[in-house]
Amino acid sequence: MTDHADISAEAALREVERAQGAVRRAGRRAAMFFLTLWLISTAYWLAALLGPEAVRDYSGLGLFLAVGVVLVARLVFRERVYSRMTARIVYPVTGAFVGTSVLASLYTMFLHPLEPGPQWVVPDVLVMLVAGAPLLYGAVRVLRSENDR
């Protein structure tokens, strides 16, 4: 709407509702982005830690390709509007995810044996859960804030 001088009360209310809807949709898409990365991360860590040797060898390539596709899709379909919660939580969640992924990588490189036995399943699942926890937390926080509106 370019001409705001002759706008009626109903038209102004429709415009406000349209803008609020755009912000809610953008928040939901950001939450779905977090959930998608969480699923990819979970699948990667399960394959890298608990999979057979052939799966472990190719899991890094699969992670690289999957995250690349998701990031390109996110850039192509990026939003112009974000809610306050989304804008406030993106960088802390990203930083926490990078930190937990680095810790999980260090665990894999230095503590995890090449041929793990059944006693390594519980620590591996815990590492997988910790590595993806920031993404899941961010998605839940954004979805809750968008549903409260």
Side-chain angles (χ1 to χ4, degrees):
M1 299 184 80
T2 57
D3 185 23
H4 297 291
D6 297 328
I7 191 168
S8 68
E10 293 85 19
L13 183 61
R14 281 193 304 272
E15 182 66 18
V16 167
E17 289 172 353
R18 185 197 62 76
Q20 286 176 340
V23 170
R24 274 193 300 276
R25 280 191 303 279
R28 288 188 193 116
R29 286 186 184 130
M32 291 304 130
F33 176 69
F34 283 150
L35 285 175
T36 303
L37 286 180
W38 175 73
L39 287 172
I40 291 170
S41 170
T42 302
Y44 166 73
W45 286 114
L46 284 175
L49 294 172
L50 299 174
E53 187 175 349
V55 172
R56 279 185 269 158
D57 292 342
Y58 291 107
S59 63
L61 177 63
L63 174 71
F64 179 74
L65 292 175
V67 169
V69 167
V70 169
L71 289 177
V72 167
R74 182 72 178 154
L75 287 174
V76 169
F77 299 110
R78 68 177 171 240
E79 301 291 331
R80 295 182 185 161
V81 176
Y82 292 103
S83 67
R84 284 187 201 149
M85 175 57 76
T86 303
R88 192 172 63 207
I89 204 167
V90 166
Y91 293 112
V93 166
T94 303
F97 175 63
V98 169
T100 57
S101 294
V102 167
L103 290 175
S105 297
L106 291 173
Y107 165 82
T108 303
M109 287 189 289
F110 297 116
L111 296 176
H112 196 265
L114 290 176
E115 295 298 326
Q119 71 274 16
W120 286 92
V121 172
V122 173
D124 291 349
V125 170
L126 286 174
V127 166
M128 179 261 320
L129 290 174
V130 168
L135 295 171
L136 192 58
Y137 170 78
V140 169
R141 284 286 308 266
V142 170
L143 282 175
R144 276 190 178 169
S145 73
E146 298 307 319
N147 287 336
D148 289 343
R149 291 177 175 247

Coordinates of all heavy atoms in Angstrom, one line a residue, residues 8-104:
S8 N -9.1 3.4 5.1 CA -10.1 3.3 6.1 C -9.6 2.5 7.3 O -8.6 1.8 7.3 CB -11.3 2.6 5.5 OG -11.0 1.3 5.2
A9 N -10.4 2.5 8.4 CA -10.1 1.7 9.6 C -10.0 0.2 9.3 O -9.1 -0.5 9.7 CB -11.1 2.0 10.7
E10 N -11.0 -0.3 8.5 CA -11.0 -1.7 8.1 C -9.8 -2.1 7.3 O -9.2 -3.1 7.4 CB -12.3 -2.1 7.3 CG -13.5 -2.0 8.2 CD -14.1 -0.6 8.2 OE1 -13.7 0.2 7.3 OE2 -14.8 -0.3 9.1
A11 N -9.4 -1.2 6.3 CA -8.2 -1.5 5.5 C -7.0 -1.5 6.3 O -6.1 -2.3 6.1 CB -8.2 -0.5 4.3
A12 N -6.9 -0.6 7.3 CA -5.7 -0.5 8.1 C -5.6 -1.8 9.0 O -4.5 -2.3 9.2 CB -5.8 0.7 9.0
L13 N -6.8 -2.2 9.5 CA -6.8 -3.5 10.3 C -6.4 -4.7 9.4 O -5.6 -5.5 9.9 CB -8.2 -3.7 10.9 CG -8.3 -4.9 11.8 CD1 -7.4 -4.8 13.0 CD2 -9.8 -5.0 12.3
R14 N -6.9 -4.7 8.2 CA -6.5 -5.8 7.3 C -5.0 -5.8 7.0 O -4.3 -6.9 7.0 CB -7.2 -5.8 6.0 CG -8.6 -6.3 6.1 CD -9.2 -6.5 4.7 NE -9.2 -5.3 3.9 CZ -10.2 -4.4 3.9 NH1 -11.2 -4.5 4.6 NH2 -10.1 -3.3 3.1
E15 N -4.4 -4.6 6.9 CA -3.0 -4.5 6.6 C -2.2 -4.9 7.8 O -1.1 -5.6 7.7 CB -2.6 -3.0 6.2 CG -1.2 -2.8 5.9 CD -0.7 -3.5 4.6 OE1 -1.6 -3.9 3.8 OE2 0.5 -3.7 4.5
V16 N -2.6 -4.6 9.0 CA -1.9 -5.0 10.2 C -2.0 -6.5 10.4 O -1.0 -7.1 10.7 CB -2.5 -4.3 11.5 CG1 -2.0 -4.9 12.8 CG2 -2.2 -2.8 11.4
E17 N -3.2 -7.1 10.1 CA -3.3 -8.5 10.2 C -2.4 -9.2 9.2 O -1.9 -10.3 9.4 CB -4.8 -8.9 10.1 CG -5.6 -8.6 11.3 CD -7.1 -8.8 11.1 OE1 -7.5 -9.1 9.9 OE2 -7.8 -8.6 12.1
R18 N -2.3 -8.7 8.0 CA -1.5 -9.2 6.9 C 0.0 -9.2 7.4 O 0.7 -10.2 7.2 CB -1.7 -8.5 5.6 CG -0.9 -9.1 4.5 CD -0.7 -8.2 3.3 NE 0.0 -7.0 3.7 CZ 1.4 -7.0 3.8 NH1 2.1 -8.1 3.7 NH2 2.0 -5.8 4.1
A19 N 0.4 -8.1 7.9 CA 1.8 -8.0 8.4 C 2.1 -9.0 9.5 O 3.1 -9.6 9.6 CB 2.1 -6.6 8.8
Q20 N 1.1 -9.1 10.5 CA 1.3 -10.1 11.6 C 1.4 -11.5 11.1 O 2.1 -12.3 11.5 CB 0.2 -9.9 12.6 CG 0.3 -8.7 13.4 CD -0.9 -8.5 14.4 OE1 -1.9 -9.0 14.2 NE2 -0.7 -7.7 15.4
G21 N 0.5 -11.8 10.1 CA 0.6 -13.1 9.4 C 1.9 -13.4 8.8 O 2.4 -14.5 8.9
A22 N 2.5 -12.4 8.1 CA 3.8 -12.6 7.5 C 4.8 -12.9 8.5 O 5.7 -13.7 8.3 CB 4.1 -11.3 6.6
V23 N 4.8 -12.2 9.6 CA 5.8 -12.4 10.7 C 5.6 -13.8 11.3 O 6.6 -14.5 11.5 CB 5.6 -11.3 11.8 CG1 6.5 -11.6 13.0 CG2 6.1 -10.0 11.2
R24 N 4.4 -14.2 11.5 CA 4.1 -15.6 12.0 C 4.6 -16.6 11.1 O 5.3 -17.6 11.5 CB 2.6 -15.8 12.3 CG 2.2 -15.3 13.7 CD 0.8 -15.8 14.0 NE -0.2 -15.4 13.1 CZ -0.8 -14.2 13.1 NH1 -0.5 -13.4 14.1 NH2 -1.7 -13.9 12.2
R25 N 4.4 -16.5 9.8 CA 4.8 -17.4 8.8 C 6.3 -17.5 8.8 O 6.9 -18.6 8.7 CB 4.3 -17.1 7.4 CG 2.9 -17.6 7.2 CD 2.5 -17.4 5.7 NE 2.6 -16.1 5.2 CZ 1.8 -15.1 5.3 NH1 0.7 -15.3 6.0 NH2 2.0 -13.9 4.8
A26 N 7.0 -16.3 8.8 CA 8.4 -16.3 8.8 C 9.0 -17.0 10.1 O 10.0 -17.7 10.0 CB 8.9 -14.9 8.8
G27 N 8.4 -16.8 11.2 CA 8.8 -17.5 12.4 C 8.7 -19.0 12.3 O 9.5 -19.7 12.7
R28 N 7.6 -19.4 11.8 CA 7.4 -20.9 11.6 C 8.4 -21.5 10.6 O 8.9 -22.6 10.8 CB 5.9 -21.1 11.1 CG 4.9 -20.9 12.2 CD 3.5 -21.4 11.8 NE 2.5 -20.9 12.7 CZ 1.6 -20.0 12.4 NH1 1.5 -19.6 11.2 NH2 0.7 -19.6 13.3
R29 N 8.7 -20.7 9.6 CA 9.7 -21.2 8.6 C 11.1 -21.3 9.3 O 11.8 -22.2 9.0 CB 9.7 -20.3 7.4 CG 8.5 -20.5 6.5 CD 8.6 -19.8 5.2 NE 7.4 -19.9 4.5 CZ 6.7 -18.9 3.9 NH1 7.2 -17.7 4.1 NH2 5.7 -19.1 3.3
A30 N 11.4 -20.3 10.1 CA 12.7 -20.4 10.8 C 12.7 -21.6 11.8 O 13.7 -22.3 11.9 CB 12.9 -19.1 11.6
A31 N 11.6 -21.9 12.4 CA 11.5 -23.0 13.3 C 11.6 -24.3 12.5 O 12.3 -25.3 12.9 CB 10.2 -23.0 14.1
M32 N 11.0 -24.4 11.4 CA 11.1 -25.6 10.5 C 12.6 -25.7 10.0 O 13.1 -26.9 9.8 CB 10.2 -25.5 9.3 CG 8.7 -25.6 9.7 SD 8.4 -27.1 10.6 CE 7.5 -26.5 12.0
F33 N 13.2 -24.6 9.8 CA 14.7 -24.7 9.4 C 15.5 -25.3 10.5 O 16.3 -26.2 10.2 CB 15.1 -23.2 9.0 CG 16.6 -23.1 8.7 CD1 17.1 -23.7 7.5 CD2 17.4 -22.5 9.5 CE1 18.4 -23.6 7.2 CE2 18.8 -22.4 9.2 CZ 19.3 -22.9 8.1
F34 N 15.3 -24.8 11.7 CA 16.0 -25.4 12.9 C 15.7 -26.9 13.0 O 16.6 -27.7 13.2 CB 15.6 -24.7 14.2 CG 16.2 -23.4 14.4 CD1 15.5 -22.4 15.1 CD2 17.5 -23.0 13.9 CE1 16.1 -21.1 15.3 CE2 18.0 -21.8 14.1 CZ 17.4 -20.9 14.8
L35 N 14.4 -27.3 12.8 CA 14.0 -28.7 13.0 C 14.7 -29.5 11.9 O 15.1 -30.7 12.1 CB 12.5 -28.9 13.0 CG 11.8 -28.5 14.2 CD1 10.3 -28.6 14.0 CD2 12.2 -29.3 15.4
T36 N 14.7 -29.0 10.6 CA 15.4 -29.7 9.5 C 16.8 -29.9 9.8 O 17.4 -31.0 9.6 CB 15.2 -28.9 8.2 OG1 13.8 -28.8 8.0 CG2 15.8 -29.7 7.0
L37 N 17.5 -28.9 10.3 CA 18.9 -29.1 10.6 C 19.1 -30.0 11.8 O 20.1 -30.8 11.8 CB 19.6 -27.7 10.9 CG 19.8 -26.8 9.7 CD1 20.5 -25.5 10.2 CD2 20.7 -27.5 8.7
W38 N 18.2 -30.0 12.7 CA 18.3 -30.9 13.8 C 18.2 -32.4 13.3 O 18.9 -33.3 13.8 CB 17.2 -30.6 14.9 CG 17.1 -31.6 16.0 CD1 18.0 -31.8 17.0 CD2 16.1 -32.6 16.1 NE1 17.6 -32.8 17.8 CE2 16.5 -33.3 17.3 CE3 15.0 -33.0 15.4 CZ2 15.7 -34.4 17.8 CZ3 14.3 -34.1 15.9 CH2 14.6 -34.7 17.1
L39 N 17.2 -32.6 12.4 CA 17.1 -34.0 11.9 C 18.3 -34.4 11.1 O 18.8 -35.6 11.2 CB 15.8 -34.1 11.0 CG 14.5 -34.1 11.7 CD1 13.4 -34.0 10.7 CD2 14.4 -35.3 12.6
I40 N 18.9 -33.5 10.3 CA 20.1 -33.8 9.5 C 21.2 -34.1 10.5 O 22.0 -35.1 10.3 CB 20.4 -32.7 8.6 CG1 19.4 -32.6 7.5 CG2 21.8 -32.9 8.0 CD1 19.5 -31.3 6.6
S41 N 21.4 -33.3 11.5 CA 22.5 -33.4 12.5 C 22.3 -34.8 13.2 O 23.3 -35.5 13.4 CB 22.5 -32.3 13.5 OG 23.3 -32.5 14.5
T42 N 21.1 -35.1 13.6 CA 20.8 -36.3 14.4 C 21.2 -37.5 13.5 O 21.8 -38.5 13.9 CB 19.4 -36.4 14.8 OG1 19.1 -35.3 15.7 CG2 19.1 -37.7 15.6
A43 N 20.7 -37.5 12.2 CA 21.0 -38.6 11.3 C 22.5 -38.7 11.1 O 23.1 -39.9 11.1 CB 20.3 -38.4 10.0
Y44 N 23.2 -37.6 11.0 CA 24.7 -37.7 10.8 C 25.4 -38.3 12.0 O 26.2 -39.2 11.8 CB 25.2 -36.3 10.5 CG 26.7 -36.3 10.6 CD1 27.5 -36.8 9.6 CD2 27.4 -35.7 11.8 CE1 28.9 -36.9 9.8 CE2 28.8 -35.8 11.9 CZ 29.5 -36.3 10.9 OH 30.9 -36.4 11.0
W45 N 25.1 -37.8 13.2 CA 25.8 -38.3 14.3 C 25.4 -39.8 14.6 O 26.3 -40.6 15.0 CB 25.5 -37.5 15.6 CG 26.2 -36.2 15.5 CD1 25.7 -34.9 15.4 CD2 27.7 -36.0 15.5 NE1 26.7 -34.0 15.3 CE2 27.9 -34.6 15.4 CE3 28.7 -36.9 15.6 CZ2 29.2 -34.1 15.3 CZ3 30.0 -36.3 15.5 CH2 30.2 -35.0 15.4
L46 N 24.2 -40.2 14.3 CA 23.9 -41.6 14.5 C 24.7 -42.5 13.5 O 25.2 -43.5 13.9 CB 22.4 -41.8 14.3 CG 21.5 -41.5 15.5 CD1 20.0 -41.6 15.1 CD2 21.8 -42.3 16.7
A47 N 24.8 -42.0 12.2 CA 25.5 -42.7 11.2 C 27.0 -42.7 11.6 O 27.7 -43.7 11.4 CB 25.3 -42.1 9.9
A48 N 27.5 -41.6 12.0 CA 29.0 -41.5 12.2 C 29.4 -42.2 13.4 O 30.5 -42.7 13.5 CB 29.4 -40.0 12.4
L49 N 28.6 -42.3 14.4 CA 29.0 -42.9 15.7 C 28.5 -44.4 15.8 O 29.3 -45.2 16.3 CB 28.4 -42.2 16.9 CG 28.9 -40.8 17.1 CD1 28.1 -40.0 18.2 CD2 30.4 -40.8 17.4
L50 N 27.4 -44.7 15.3 CA 26.9 -46.1 15.4 C 26.8 -46.9 14.2 O 26.5 -48.1 14.2 CB 25.5 -46.0 16.1 CG 25.4 -45.4 17.5 CD1 24.0 -45.3 17.9 CD2 26.2 -46.2 18.4
G51 N 27.1 -46.3 13.0 CA 26.9 -47.0 11.8 C 28.2 -47.9 11.5 O 29.2 -47.8 12.1
P52 N 28.0 -48.8 10.5 CA 29.2 -49.6 10.1 C 30.2 -48.7 9.4 O 29.9 -47.6 9.1 CB 28.6 -50.6 9.1 CG 27.2 -50.1 8.7 CD 26.8 -49.2 9.8
E53 N 31.4 -49.3 9.1 CA 32.5 -48.5 8.6 C 32.1 -47.8 7.3 O 32.5 -46.6 7.1 CB 33.7 -49.4 8.5 CG 34.9 -48.6 8.1 CD 36.2 -49.4 8.1 OE1 36.1 -50.6 8.5 OE2 37.2 -48.9 7.6
A54 N 31.5 -48.5 6.4 CA 31.1 -47.9 5.1 C 30.2 -46.7 5.3 O 30.4 -45.7 4.6 CB 30.5 -48.9 4.2
V55 N 29.3 -46.8 6.2 CA 28.3 -45.7 6.5 C 29.1 -44.5 7.1 O 28.9 -43.3 6.8 CB 27.2 -46.1 7.3 CG1 26.3 -45.0 7.8 CG2 26.3 -47.2 6.6
R56 N 30.0 -44.8 8.0 CA 30.8 -43.8 8.7 C 31.6 -43.0 7.7 O 31.8 -41.8 7.8 CB 31.7 -44.4 9.8 CG 30.9 -44.6 11.1 CD 31.9 -45.1 12.1 NE 31.9 -46.5 12.0 CZ 32.9 -47.3 12.5 NH1 33.9 -46.8 13.0 NH2 32.8 -48.6 12.4
D57 N 32.2 -43.7 6.7 CA 33.0 -43.1 5.7 C 32.2 -42.1 4.9 O 32.8 -41.0 4.5 CB 33.6 -44.1 4.8 CG 34.7 -45.0 5.5 OD1 35.1 -44.6 6.6 OD2 35.0 -46.1 5.0
Y58 N 31.0 -42.3 4.5 CA 30.2 -41.5 3.7 C 29.3 -40.5 4.4 O 28.6 -39.7 3.8 CB 29.4 -42.3 2.7 CG 30.4 -43.0 1.7 CD1 30.6 -44.3 1.7 CD2 31.0 -42.2 0.7 CE1 31.5 -44.9 0.8 CE2 31.9 -42.8 -0.2 CZ 32.1 -44.2 -0.1 OH 32.9 -44.7 -1.0
S59 N 29.2 -40.7 5.7 CA 28.2 -39.8 6.5 C 28.6 -38.3 6.4 O 27.8 -37.5 6.4 CB 28.1 -40.3 7.9 OG 29.4 -40.2 8.6
G60 N 29.9 -38.0 6.4 CA 30.4 -36.6 6.3 C 30.0 -36.0 5.0 O 29.5 -34.9 4.9
L61 N 30.1 -36.8 3.9 CA 29.7 -36.3 2.6 C 28.1 -36.1 2.6 O 27.7 -35.0 2.0 CB 30.1 -37.3 1.5 CG 29.6 -36.9 0.1 CD1 30.3 -35.6 -0.4 CD2 30.0 -38.1 -0.9
G62 N 27.4 -37.0 3.1 CA 26.0 -36.8 3.2 C 25.6 -35.6 4.0 O 24.7 -34.9 3.7
L63 N 26.3 -35.4 5.2 CA 26.0 -34.2 6.0 C 26.3 -32.9 5.2 O 25.5 -32.0 5.2 CB 26.8 -34.2 7.2 CG 26.8 -32.9 8.1 CD1 25.4 -32.8 8.8 CD2 27.9 -32.9 9.1
F64 N 27.4 -32.9 4.5 CA 27.8 -31.7 3.7 C 26.7 -31.4 2.6 O 26.3 -30.3 2.5 CB 29.2 -31.9 3.1 CG 29.6 -30.8 2.2 CD1 30.1 -29.6 2.8 CD2 29.6 -30.9 0.9 CE1 30.5 -28.6 2.0 CE2 30.1 -29.9 0.1 CZ 30.5 -28.7 0.6
L65 N 26.3 -32.4 1.9 CA 25.3 -32.2 0.8 C 24.0 -31.8 1.4 O 23.3 -30.9 0.9 CB 25.2 -33.5 0.0 CG 26.4 -33.9 -0.8 CD1 26.2 -35.2 -1.5 CD2 26.7 -32.8 -1.8
A66 N 23.5 -32.5 2.5 CA 22.2 -32.2 3.0 C 22.2 -30.7 3.6 O 21.2 -30.0 3.3 CB 21.8 -33.2 4.1
V67 N 23.2 -30.4 4.3 CA 23.2 -29.0 4.9 C 23.3 -28.0 3.8 O 22.7 -26.9 3.8 CB 24.3 -28.9 5.9 CG1 24.6 -27.4 6.3 CG2 24.0 -29.7 7.2
G68 N 24.1 -28.3 2.8 CA 24.2 -27.4 1.6 C 22.9 -27.2 0.9 O 22.6 -26.0 0.6
V69 N 22.1 -28.2 0.7 CA 20.8 -28.1 0.0 C 19.9 -27.2 0.9 O 19.2 -26.4 0.4 CB 20.2 -29.5 -0.3 CG1 18.8 -29.4 -0.6 CG2 21.0 -30.1 -1.4
V70 N 19.9 -27.5 2.2 CA 19.0 -26.8 3.1 C 19.4 -25.3 3.2 O 18.5 -24.4 3.2 CB 19.0 -27.4 4.5 CG1 18.3 -26.5 5.5 CG2 18.4 -28.8 4.5
L71 N 20.7 -25.0 3.2 CA 21.1 -23.6 3.3 C 20.8 -22.9 2.0 O 20.4 -21.7 2.0 CB 22.6 -23.5 3.6 CG 23.0 -23.9 5.1 CD1 24.5 -23.9 5.2 CD2 22.3 -23.0 6.1
V72 N 21.0 -23.5 0.9 CA 20.7 -22.9 -0.4 C 19.2 -22.6 -0.5 O 18.8 -21.5 -0.9 CB 21.2 -23.7 -1.6 CG1 20.6 -23.2 -2.9 CG2 22.7 -23.7 -1.7
A73 N 18.4 -23.6 -0.1 CA 16.9 -23.4 -0.1 C 16.6 -22.3 0.9 O 15.7 -21.4 0.5 CB 16.2 -24.7 0.3
R74 N 17.2 -22.2 2.0 CA 16.9 -21.1 3.0 C 17.3 -19.7 2.4 O 16.6 -18.7 2.6 CB 17.6 -21.3 4.3 CG 17.4 -20.3 5.3 CD 16.0 -20.5 5.9 NE 15.8 -19.5 7.0 CZ 14.7 -19.0 7.3 NH1 13.6 -19.5 6.7 NH2 14.6 -18.2 8.3
L75 N 18.4 -19.7 1.6 CA 18.8 -18.4 1.0 C 17.8 -18.0 -0.1 O 17.5 -16.8 -0.3 CB 20.2 -18.5 0.5 CG 21.3 -18.5 1.5 CD1 22.7 -18.7 0.9 CD2 21.3 -17.2 2.3
V76 N 17.4 -19.0 -0.9 CA 16.5 -18.7 -2.0 C 15.1 -18.2 -1.5 O 14.5 -17.3 -2.0 CB 16.3 -19.9 -2.9 CG1 15.2 -19.8 -3.9 CG2 17.7 -20.2 -3.6
F77 N 14.6 -18.9 -0.5 CA 13.3 -18.6 0.1 C 13.4 -17.7 1.3 O 12.5 -17.9 2.2 CB 12.5 -19.8 0.3 CG 12.3 -20.7 -0.9 CD1 13.0 -21.9 -1.1 CD2 11.5 -20.2 -1.9 CE1 12.8 -22.6 -2.2 CE2 11.3 -20.9 -3.1 CZ 12.0 -22.1 -3.2
R78 N 14.4 -16.9 1.5 CA 14.5 -16.1 2.7 C 13.4 -15.1 2.9 O 12.8 -14.7 1.9 CB 15.9 -15.5 2.8 CG 16.1 -14.4 1.8 CD 17.4 -13.7 2.0 NE 17.7 -12.8 0.9 CZ 18.7 -12.9 0.0 NH1 19.5 -13.9 0.2 NH2 18.8 -12.1 -0.9
E79 N 13.2 -14.8 4.1 CA 12.1 -13.9 4.5 C 12.6 -12.5 4.6 O 13.8 -12.3 5.0 CB 11.5 -14.3 5.8 CG 10.9 -15.7 5.8 CD 9.7 -15.9 4.9 OE1 8.9 -14.9 4.8 OE2 9.5 -17.0 4.4
R80 N 11.8 -11.5 4.4 CA 12.2 -10.1 4.7 C 11.8 -9.7 6.1 O 12.2 -8.6 6.5 CB 11.5 -9.2 3.6 CG 11.9 -9.5 2.2 CD 11.3 -8.6 1.3 NE 11.7 -8.9 -0.1 CZ 11.0 -8.6 -1.1 NH1 9.9 -7.8 -1.0 NH2 11.4 -8.9 -2.3
V81 N 10.9 -10.4 6.7 CA 10.4 -10.0 8.0 C 10.6 -11.2 9.0 O 10.5 -12.3 8.7 CB 8.9 -9.8 7.9 CG1 8.3 -9.5 9.2 CG2 8.5 -8.7 6.9
Y82 N 11.0 -10.8 10.2 CA 11.3 -11.8 11.3 C 10.6 -11.3 12.5 O 10.5 -10.1 12.8 CB 12.7 -12.0 11.5 CG 13.4 -12.7 10.4 CD1 14.3 -12.0 9.5 CD2 13.3 -14.1 10.2 CE1 14.9 -12.7 8.5 CE2 13.9 -14.7 9.2 CZ 14.7 -14.0 8.3 OH 15.4 -14.7 7.3
S83 N 10.2 -12.2 13.4 CA 9.6 -11.8 14.7 C 10.8 -11.5 15.6 O 12.0 -11.8 15.3 CB 8.8 -13.0 15.3 OG 9.7 -14.1 15.6
R84 N 10.5 -10.8 16.7 CA 11.6 -10.5 17.6 C 12.2 -11.7 18.2 O 13.5 -11.7 18.3 CB 11.0 -9.7 18.8 CG 10.7 -8.3 18.4 CD 10.2 -7.5 19.6 NE 9.5 -6.3 19.1 CZ 8.5 -5.7 19.8 NH1 8.2 -6.2 21.0 NH2 7.9 -4.7 19.3
M85 N 11.5 -12.7 18.5 CA 12.0 -14.0 19.0 C 13.0 -14.6 18.0 O 14.1 -15.0 18.4 CB 10.9 -14.9 19.4 CG 11.5 -16.3 19.9 SD 12.6 -16.2 21.3 CE 11.4 -15.9 22.6
T86 N 12.6 -14.7 16.8 CA 13.5 -15.3 15.8 C 14.8 -14.5 15.6 O 15.8 -15.0 15.6 CB 12.7 -15.3 14.4 OG1 11.5 -16.1 14.6 CG2 13.6 -16.0 13.4
A87 N 14.6 -13.1 15.6 CA 15.8 -12.3 15.4 C 16.7 -12.4 16.6 O 18.0 -12.4 16.5 CB 15.4 -10.9 15.2
R88 N 16.1 -12.6 17.8 CA 16.9 -12.6 19.0 C 17.6 -14.0 19.3 O 18.6 -14.1 19.9 CB 16.0 -12.3 20.2 CG 16.7 -12.0 21.5 CD 15.8 -11.5 22.6 NE 14.8 -12.6 22.9 CZ 13.6 -12.3 23.3 NH1 13.2 -11.1 23.5 NH2 12.7 -13.3 23.6
I89 N 17.0 -15.1 18.7 CA 17.5 -16.4 19.1 C 18.4 -17.0 18.0 O 19.1 -18.0 18.3 CB 16.3 -17.3 19.4 CG1 16.7 -18.4 20.3 CG2 15.6 -17.8 18.1 CD1 15.5 -19.2 20.9
V90 N 18.4 -16.5 16.8 CA 19.1 -17.1 15.7 C 20.6 -17.2 16.1 O 21.2 -18.3 15.9 CB 18.9 -16.4 14.4 CG1 19.9 -16.8 13.4 CG2 17.5 -16.7 13.9
Y91 N 21.3 -16.2 16.5 CA 22.7 -16.2 16.7 C 23.1 -17.0 17.9 O 24.1 -17.8 17.8 CB 23.3 -14.8 16.7 CG 23.1 -14.1 15.4 CD1 22.3 -13.0 15.2 CD2 23.9 -14.5 14.3 CE1 22.2 -12.4 13.9 CE2 23.8 -13.9 13.1 CZ 22.9 -12.9 12.9 OH 22.8 -12.3 11.7
P92 N 22.4 -16.9 19.0 CA 22.8 -17.8 20.2 C 22.6 -19.3 19.8 O 23.4 -20.1 20.2 CB 21.8 -17.3 21.3 CG 21.5 -16.0 21.0 CD 21.4 -15.9 19.5
V93 N 21.5 -19.6 19.1 CA 21.3 -21.0 18.8 C 22.4 -21.5 17.8 O 23.0 -22.6 18.0 CB 19.9 -21.2 18.2 CG1 19.8 -22.6 17.5 CG2 18.9 -21.1 19.2
T94 N 22.8 -20.6 16.9 CA 23.8 -21.0 15.9 C 25.2 -21.2 16.6 O 25.9 -22.2 16.4 CB 24.0 -19.9 14.8 OG1 22.7 -19.8 14.2 CG2 25.0 -20.3 13.8
G95 N 25.5 -20.3 17.5 CA 26.7 -20.4 18.3 C 26.8 -21.6 19.2 O 27.8 -22.3 19.2
A96 N 25.7 -21.9 19.8 CA 25.6 -23.1 20.7 C 25.7 -24.4 19.8 O 26.3 -25.3 20.3 CB 24.3 -23.1 21.5
F97 N 25.0 -24.4 18.7 CA 25.1 -25.5 17.8 C 26.5 -25.8 17.3 O 27.0 -26.9 17.3 CB 24.1 -25.4 16.6 CG 24.2 -26.5 15.7 CD1 23.9 -27.8 16.0 CD2 24.6 -26.3 14.3 CE1 24.0 -28.9 15.1 CE2 24.7 -27.3 13.4 CZ 24.4 -28.6 13.8
V98 N 27.2 -24.7 16.9 CA 28.6 -24.9 16.5 C 29.4 -25.4 17.6 O 30.3 -26.3 17.5 CB 29.1 -23.6 15.9 CG1 30.6 -23.6 15.7 CG2 28.5 -23.2 14.6
G99 N 29.2 -24.9 18.8 CA 30.0 -25.3 20.0 C 29.7 -26.8 20.3 O 30.7 -27.5 20.6
T100 N 28.5 -27.2 20.4 CA 28.2 -28.6 20.7 C 28.7 -29.5 19.6 O 29.1 -30.7 19.8 CB 26.7 -28.8 20.9 OG1 25.9 -28.4 19.8 CG2 26.3 -28.1 22.2
S101 N 28.6 -29.1 18.3 CA 29.1 -29.9 17.2 C 30.7 -30.1 17.3 O 31.2 -31.1 17.0 CB 28.8 -29.3 15.9 OG 27.4 -29.3 15.7
V102 N 31.3 -29.0 17.7 CA 32.8 -29.1 17.9 C 33.1 -30.1 19.0 O 34.0 -30.9 18.9 CB 33.4 -27.7 18.2 CG1 34.8 -27.8 18.7 CG2 33.4 -26.9 16.9
L103 N 32.4 -30.0 20.1 CA 32.6 -30.9 21.2 C 32.3 -32.4 20.8 O 33.0 -33.3 21.1 CB 31.7 -30.6 22.4 CG 32.1 -29.3 23.2 CD1 31.0 -29.0 24.2 CD2 33.4 -29.4 23.8
A104 N 31.2 -32.6 20.0 CA 30.9 -33.9 19.5 C 32.0 -34.4 18.6 O 32.4 -35.6 18.6 CB 29.6 -33.9 18.8

